[in-house]
Amino acid sequence: MDSGRWRRRAVSRGMLPLLALHAVNEYYRLPWKPPVTAGLLASNTLIYLRPSFLDSLLPFVDEVWFNPHLILKNKDMKRFFLSVFYHVDESHLVYNMMSLLWKGIQLETSMGSTEFASMVVALLGLSQGISLLLAKSLLVFFDYGRPYYSEYAVGFSGLLFAMKVILNSHSENFTNVHGLIVPARYAAWAELILIQMFVPRVSFLGHLGGILAGILYLKLKGSYSGPNPLTTIIRELTSLLRWPVRFIRNTFRLRRRRILGQGTVGGGERRSLSGTWRCQACTYDNSDWLSNCEMCGTSQSSESGGFSRQVSRRSRDLSLEELRRRRVERFG
């Protein structure tokens, strides 16, 4: 999450093609492609690029900066929810999206798409809410309004810090954080301190809020044994959105069955195809223009059950060669 005022986007440095190539390569080697992670990557990138078909729909970055003072003063929820999807320049976007690609693939693959999507929604609300609460608390209790209460910040990194906490919560391994070897479960804290030391313009409260959001999410999930309400809502919404696709697929499947047909040859019931009738004695399909079966001579009127048992028995006792001979004679 980057802080500061930014009115003009930086000139492209050619990093986006590298991000696209890296994402395609990662997804190509995966047997299952995590869709939520791909959607988050695409949405962040499209918001940054602002293609012409979205330009009139998307607010500008000056309208969505995360600013505690403006959010509380104007009850501006647009800044609260949308600021995480905006980035100040190409390097800011690419760095965050590379991190999202790595963390998102691991978490979504292990949790499932629905659970992962509900986690992202929960972390967004928790991290932004905690950052807002911290900024307001510093102002009320310590009269510390600047830089935190009046700072402007955007970026996905707060959620990335929360994801890192969740991803490493049960790890006993060590990891490398910018050259420093630390236990994986404390990697987010080490990165928070190191980034603040070497990149002071980033949002300290935004990153800290993300770490605390990840810890709080794990606590809430561990203490609640029932089904996740957010997961249930997202699952129902997903099922609702898939319903038209299933309806169209089932409609075409039904039409295909009707076209191909699924009757069995030799059945005793009459099967009415267009302009044909089936003989019950030998199962030959005859034209509706004929009153007797071309194969064995059985009358069509006997299809209703009026033919004598003697005729039926005699027709069924005919050998296959005899039926062929009679047909040749009839057409000869």
Side-chain angles (χ1 to χ4, degrees):
M1 182 171 286
D2 215 334
S3 63
R5 297 302 298 232
W6 197 279
R7 291 190 173 274
R8 297 188 63 183
R9 195 168 63 195
V11 178
S12 174
R13 302 174 184 175
M15 298 175 67
L16 284 177
L18 294 178
L19 171 63
L21 182 63
H22 185 66
V24 169
N25 181 60
E26 286 293 319
Y27 269 77
Y28 177 77
R29 67 182 182 83
L30 292 173
W32 178 74
K33 324 298 181 187
V36 178
T37 301
L40 290 172
L41 286 168
S43 60
N44 278 272
T45 305
L46 285 174
I47 287 173
Y48 175 78
L49 292 174
R50 296 184 68 90
S52 56
F53 66 93
L54 289 177
D55 188 63
S56 60
L57 302 176
L58 295 174
F60 290 98
V61 66
D62 277 352
E63 302 174 64
V64 298
W65 287 106
F66 184 87
N67 180 275
H69 171 68
L70 294 178
I71 291 174
L72 294 175
K73 178 184 177 181
N74 303 323
K75 298 180 174 57
D76 193 348
M77 302 310 293
K78 178 170 78 274
R79 295 179 183 272
F80 186 90
F81 288 108
L82 296 184
S83 58
V84 298
F85 299 103
Y86 281 73
H87 294 82
V88 295
D89 57 30
E90 193 173 26
S91 60
H92 185 207
L93 171 72
V94 171
Y95 180 82
N96 280 349
M97 293 304 100
M98 288 286 194
S99 181
L100 171 62
L101 182 65
W102 184 76
K103 295 179 178 70
I105 286 176
Q106 294 186 76
L107 287 170
E108 188 173 356
T109 302
S110 61
M111 301 171 66
S113 295
T114 305
E115 185 72 25
F116 178 72
S118 70
M119 183 198 72
V120 171
V121 173
L123 291 179
L124 191 155
L126 289 173
S127 63
Q128 298 289 79
I130 291 174
S131 299
L132 191 64
L133 181 62
L134 289 174
K136 184 65 175 179
S137 300
L138 287 173
L139 176 68
V140 172
F141 297 109
F142 302 99
D143 195 23
Y144 197 67
R146 288 186 177 275
Y148 302 123
Y149 190 68
S150 301
E151 78 171 357
Y152 293 81
V154 290
F156 207 80
S157 52
L159 269 70
L160 294 174
F161 271 86
M163 289 183 188
K164 177 172 286 191
V165 170
I166 295 170
L167 188 61
N168 295 329
S169 59
H170 301 294
S171 177
E172 300 295 337
N173 298 325
F174 286 79
T175 186
N176 188 324
V177 180
H178 304 291
L180 184 65
I181 305 300
V182 297
R185 64 176 61 188
Y186 302 120
W189 292 104
E191 187 171 357
L192 172 69
I193 297 172
L194 290 174
I195 288 180
Q196 200 63 36
M197 289 173 58
F198 295 106
V199 193
R201 68 187 291 255
V202 300
S203 174
F204 175 74
L205 285 190
H207 293 171
L208 177 61
I211 293 176
L212 298 178
I215 295 173
L216 181 58
Y217 178 83
L218 291 172
K219 295 290 185 183
L220 293 174
K221 187 176 180 182
S223 62
Y224 183 67
S225 58
N228 188 334
L230 273 176
T231 303
T232 304
I233 292 172
I234 292 175
R235 184 178 292 115
E236 293 298 327
L237 287 175
T238 304
S239 178
L240 186 64
L241 292 174
R242 287 177 179 172
W243 180 84
V245 177
R246 289 199 303 268
F247 176 77
I248 295 173
R249 184 186 304 162
N250 292 336
T251 301
F252 278 104
R253 188 178 300 166
L254 181 61
R255 289 185 60 186
R256 188 181 305 166
R257 286 177 180 174
R258 288 178 177 174
I259 293 172
L260 296 178
Q262 292 196 354
T264 56
V265 176
E269 60 184 87
R270 179 179 177 179
R271 185 173 144 213
S272 178
L273 299 174
S274 57
T276 63
W277 59 276
R278 171 161 292 179
C279 176
Q280 287 191 353
C282 65
T283 72
Y284 183 74
D285 290 328
N286 301 274
S287 171
D288 280 342
W289 293 97
L290 300 175
S291 57
N292 295 322
C293 176
E294 288 183 344
M295 180 66 75
C296 63
T298 303
S299 173
Q300 181 182 5
S301 62
S302 62
E303 291 296 303
S304 62
F307 68 91
S308 65
R309 294 179 181 273
Q310 184 178 0
V311 174
S312 176
R313 189 181 302 112
R314 184 172 66 251
S315 299
R316 289 174 179 169
D317 288 341
L318 293 175
S319 65
L320 183 60
E321 285 298 324
E322 180 64 17
L323 290 173
R324 288 176 179 170
R325 187 186 64 78
R326 290 191 180 190
R327 189 180 183 202
V328 170
E329 288 179 355
R330 181 174 297 276
F331 285 99

